Amino acid sequence: MRKFAYCKVVLATSLIWVLLDMFLLLYFSECNKCDEKKERGLPAGDVLEPVQKPHEGPGEMGKPVVIPKEDQEKMKEMFKINQFNLMASEMIALNRSLPDVRLEGPLESYVKKLKVPVHVIRMEQRSGLIRARLKGAAVSKGQVITFLDAHCECTVGWLEPLLARIKHDRKTVVCPIIDVISDDTFEYMAGSDMTYGGFNWKLNFRWYPVPQREMDRRKGDRTLPVRTPTMAGGLFSIDRDYFQEIGTYDAGMDIWGGENLEISFRIWQCGGTLEIVTCSHVGHVFRKATPYTFPGGTGQIINKNNRRLAEVWMDEFKNFFYIISPGVTKVDYGDISSRLGLRHKLQCRPFSWYLENIYPDSQIPRHYFSLGEIRNVETNQCLDNMARKENEKVGIFNCHGMGGNQVFSYTANKEIRTDDLCLDVSKLNGPVTMLKCHHLKGNQLWEYDPVKLTLQHVNSNQCLDKATDEDSQVPSIRDCSGSRSQQWLLRNVTLPEIF
């Protein structure tokens, strides 16, 4: 019995010491954490106290930080470190206050409050402008479909003049005058009723002055619609049934690019009319660059789209595009059989008719002798516009065979053209400049001798010659001598002589 009692005392004492050790261990462990928190400047409690945000100071509520003029140079140097305004970043509180920019509800909820029925149709995946518009048109129910870019503002009374023209003739496709909204300040600036749509050899849409022939047709009445060869494509109205009849958009095109010229050619060649209604004004933000990427690259998409429109609608005149942009011919443009079938079904006119009757002032001459490079026999160099502008000298450079700036046409009017500019000589011994083609011959009249290989400027009776020592990148014009330096090869033997 005495041994058993002794054992109980030993066990009880050991248990007490174990419990005491555990208590001390836990106590000092927690104290260490407390000390660590104090050293770090954190509150010792289990819950962090919220830090009060400042209500004023640089950048508060998301406002811009203005750097004083005397610190601008230092700011620029600090900017280079991380490629952002480091000085401004250091001035802003770490936990600055920001405005609550969350929307009160989804877009669908908002449009339900509008006085007119509005439906939001969303694409399941990014498909681009062309297919998005096709989907919108497919679900539309109104007699007239109006397409507008997202970055537009409509003025008072913009729609009625468009609808009136379609009511007058359902085969009339109408565009408003496109006013300019500044992409910087959003200033609204009225557009001109004296410009209309055209295009250049690269199939880029361009604005040009309304020609005198169109002013004469309207008898000087600027309230009447302007017949335009092409439209910008972002803003237009069309009869819903007619849109279906003429083949909507080419669904084989991707994203956007070229679709505006394609539908413009199709409207005119297949019996419709394309107009700018001068009594309708819609503002548009013209961006300096595309803010998004193209799957496969911008060039690939646009080249494919342009190749499709050229193959279907431009007949032999597609060569202007292919020679100036030879890379286009390597692009896979898909199956166009259905679009060619549409052209046959609608009994559409040839592109030559379009150039003759709708766009006679086109940069593409209707009749031409050659298209391509103009090579000097002695130097083996080619005429080159050097990307220069109107009123500047034409250049001469090593032939590269890549089209582009070295593509010239010798036309039936005996002009030497590079897009909408013609070689022009106004006095003896030059210089040879590039001026807007005026079709009046005069200083823009050149006689090519296919035997002597000379290009003679008729007014001065002098011949185009190689560059001089004074300027190695500019061709000269001198008295005709029959020398090799005055011989030129007009290349492109694949094109027939049309005139």
Side-chain angles (χ1 to χ4, degrees):
M1 290 294 293
R2 185 177 294 176
K3 288 183 178 180
F4 181 72
Y6 178 78
C7 289
K8 288 198 297 183
V9 172
V10 171
L11 289 172
T13 303
S14 299
L15 181 61
I16 291 171
W17 279 110
V18 168
L19 293 173
L20 180 62
D21 287 341
M22 291 179 63
F23 175 79
L24 291 173
L25 181 64
L26 290 172
Y27 175 80
F28 284 106
S29 175
E30 287 299 314
C31 283
N32 286 337
K33 290 181 180 178
C34 292
D35 292 339
E36 184 179 348
K37 289 180 179 179
K38 289 177 181 178
E39 290 175 2
R40 294 180 182 177
L42 297 176
D46 292 334
V47 180
L48 293 177
E49 293 291 333
V51 180
Q52 294 297 321
K53 294 183 179 181
H55 294 289
E56 57 184 32
E60 283 303 311
M61 295 304 293
K63 293 181 179 179
V65 176
V66 179
I67 305 297
K69 290 183 178 180
E70 59 268 21
D71 295 329
Q72 289 286 325
E73 291 301 321
K74 184 179 179 181
M75 176 197 71
K76 293 176 182 178
E77 289 299 317
M78 294 178 66
F79 192 100
K80 298 176 183 177
I81 298 174
N82 287 319
Q83 287 302 308
F84 62 78
N85 194 335
L86 193 57
M87 180 178 287
S89 177
E90 291 180 351
M91 293 171 63
I92 296 173
L94 180 64
N95 56 346
R96 72 166 171 172
S97 55
L98 292 174
D100 187 352
V101 296
R102 294 173 295 179
L103 298 176
E104 295 182 357
L107 177 61
E108 286 81 357
S109 300
Y110 175 78
V111 298
K112 289 180 180 178
K113 302 176 183 178
L114 299 177
K115 295 181 179 180
V116 294
V118 176
H119 305 279
V120 178
I121 310 298
R122 298 185 183 273
M123 305 294 284
E124 296 179 358
Q125 60 185 9
R126 181 189 174 192
S127 304
L129 174 146
I130 296 169
R131 294 190 178 94
R133 288 187 167 189
L134 285 172
K135 184 169 183 177
V139 300
S140 66
K141 297 179 180 178
Q143 189 58 45
V144 174
I145 301 174
T146 297
F147 295 102
L148 296 177
D149 285 341
H151 35 281
C152 287
E153 287 182 279
C154 299
T155 63
V156 175
W158 70 279
L159 185 58
E160 294 88 340
L162 301 179
L163 299 180
R165 292 303 297 170
I166 296 175
K167 177 67 174 179
H168 176 73
D169 182 353
R170 62 182 293 270
K171 292 187 177 182
T172 299
V173 181
V174 289
C175 309
I177 288 180
I178 304 178
D179 297 337
V180 177
I181 301 173
S182 169
D183 61 341
D184 183 30
T185 65
F186 272 70
E187 178 186 5
Y188 194 102
M189 295 163 280
S192 172
D193 65 339
M194 297 299 289
T195 59
Y196 77 166
F199 61 95
N200 60 16
W201 288 3
K202 294 182 180 180
L203 296 188
N204 295 325
F205 173 85
R206 289 288 184 269
W207 295 107
Y208 294 104
V210 175
Q212 187 60 45
R213 60 178 177 80
E214 179 63 9
M215 296 298 295
D216 293 341
R217 185 192 67 83
R218 297 159 70 211
K219 298 180 180 179
D221 187 350
R222 292 171 61 179
T223 66
L224 294 179
V226 175
R227 291 182 177 177
T228 179
T230 66
M231 64 170 159
L235 305 78
F236 70 96
S237 295
I238 187 170
D239 179 90
R240 185 173 183 274
D241 296 333
Y242 182 59
F243 185 57
Q244 295 294 327
E245 291 170 17
I246 65 166
T248 63
Y249 281 110
D250 179 358
M253 291 185 170
D254 295 326
I255 311 298
W256 67 262
E259 84 289 341
N260 59 323
L261 296 188
E262 192 274 342
I263 197 171
S264 298
F265 297 165
R266 182 157 35 100
I267 290 167
W268 281 116
Q269 290 175 242
C270 303
T273 302
L274 183 58
E275 295 180 343
I276 296 174
V277 179
T278 57
C279 292
S280 174
H281 283 256
V282 176
H284 179 271
V285 178
F286 287 92
R287 296 176 290 196
K288 297 181 179 67
T290 301
Y292 40 78
T293 59
F294 286 68
T298 305
Q300 184 78 5
I301 296 296
I302 294 179
N303 284 343
K304 173 190 174 181
N305 293 352
N306 282 337
R307 180 84 190 272
R308 289 181 68 89
L309 81 88
E311 288 291 331
V312 175
W313 298 105
M314 293 184 67
D315 304 325
E316 70 273 14
F317 295 94
K318 65 189 177 185
N319 289 307
F320 278 84
F321 177 47
Y322 293 159
I323 290 174
I324 202 168
S325 306
V328 173
T329 59
K330 301 175 183 177
V331 173
D332 179 10
Y333 58 96
D335 183 7
I336 59 171
S337 58
S338 63
R339 304 305 289 182
L340 291 172
L342 173 70
R343 177 174 177 175
H344 177 74
K345 174 185 175 183
L346 297 177
Q347 299 181 347
C348 303
R349 296 182 175 95
F351 198 70
S352 59
W353 174 89
Y354 171 84
L355 293 177
E356 185 78 34
N357 297 275
I358 305 304
Y359 198 16
D361 35 53
S362 166
Q363 279 55 262
I364 296 180
R366 296 183 299 284
H367 306 294
Y368 54 94
F369 172 71
S370 70
L371 175 64
E373 66 183 23
I374 298 180
R375 182 186 295 254
N376 187 273
V377 172
E378 180 177 293
T379 65
N380 210 33
Q381 290 185 315
C382 288
L383 291 184
D384 194 311
N385 66 35
M386 313 291 278
R388 293 170 182 162
K389 299 178 181 178
E390 183 182 1
N391 293 323
E392 294 185 325
K393 297 177 183 178
V394 70
I396 190 169
F397 201 71
N398 296 333
C399 301
H400 51 58
M402 298 297 292
N405 295 338
Q406 293 187 354
V407 176
F408 290 78
S409 67
Y410 182 57
T411 73
N413 291 329
K414 299 184 178 181
E415 306 161 324
I416 302 176
R417 297 185 59 143
T418 170
D419 208 347
D420 61 341
L421 301 178
C422 283
L423 300 197
D424 190 294
V425 178
S426 59
K427 59 183 179 180
L428 286 174
N429 302 317
V432 183
T433 57
M434 298 180 293
L435 298 180
K436 282 288 177 64
C437 300
H438 52 54
H439 313 299
L440 299 175
K441 299 185 177 181
N443 290 337
Q444 295 181 359
L445 181 64
W446 298 83
E447 190 77 51
Y448 182 66
D449 189 324
V451 177
K452 296 180 180 179
L453 303 180
T454 55
L455 279 166
Q456 182 180 5
H457 184 250
V458 175
N459 265 12
S460 66
N461 202 31
Q462 292 184 311
C463 288
L464 190 67
D465 208 328
K466 67 177 183 180
T468 63
D469 295 335
E470 289 77 20
D471 195 337
S472 61
Q473 292 189 338
V474 173
S476 61
I477 185 165
R478 301 172 181 169
D479 292 337
C480 299
S481 64
S483 64
R484 284 172 54 83
S485 66
Q486 293 184 352
Q487 292 181 330
W488 301 86
L489 297 175
L490 275 58
R491 296 290 179 90
N492 204 345
V493 295
T494 59
L495 286 180
E497 181 177 337
I498 298 180
F499 65 94

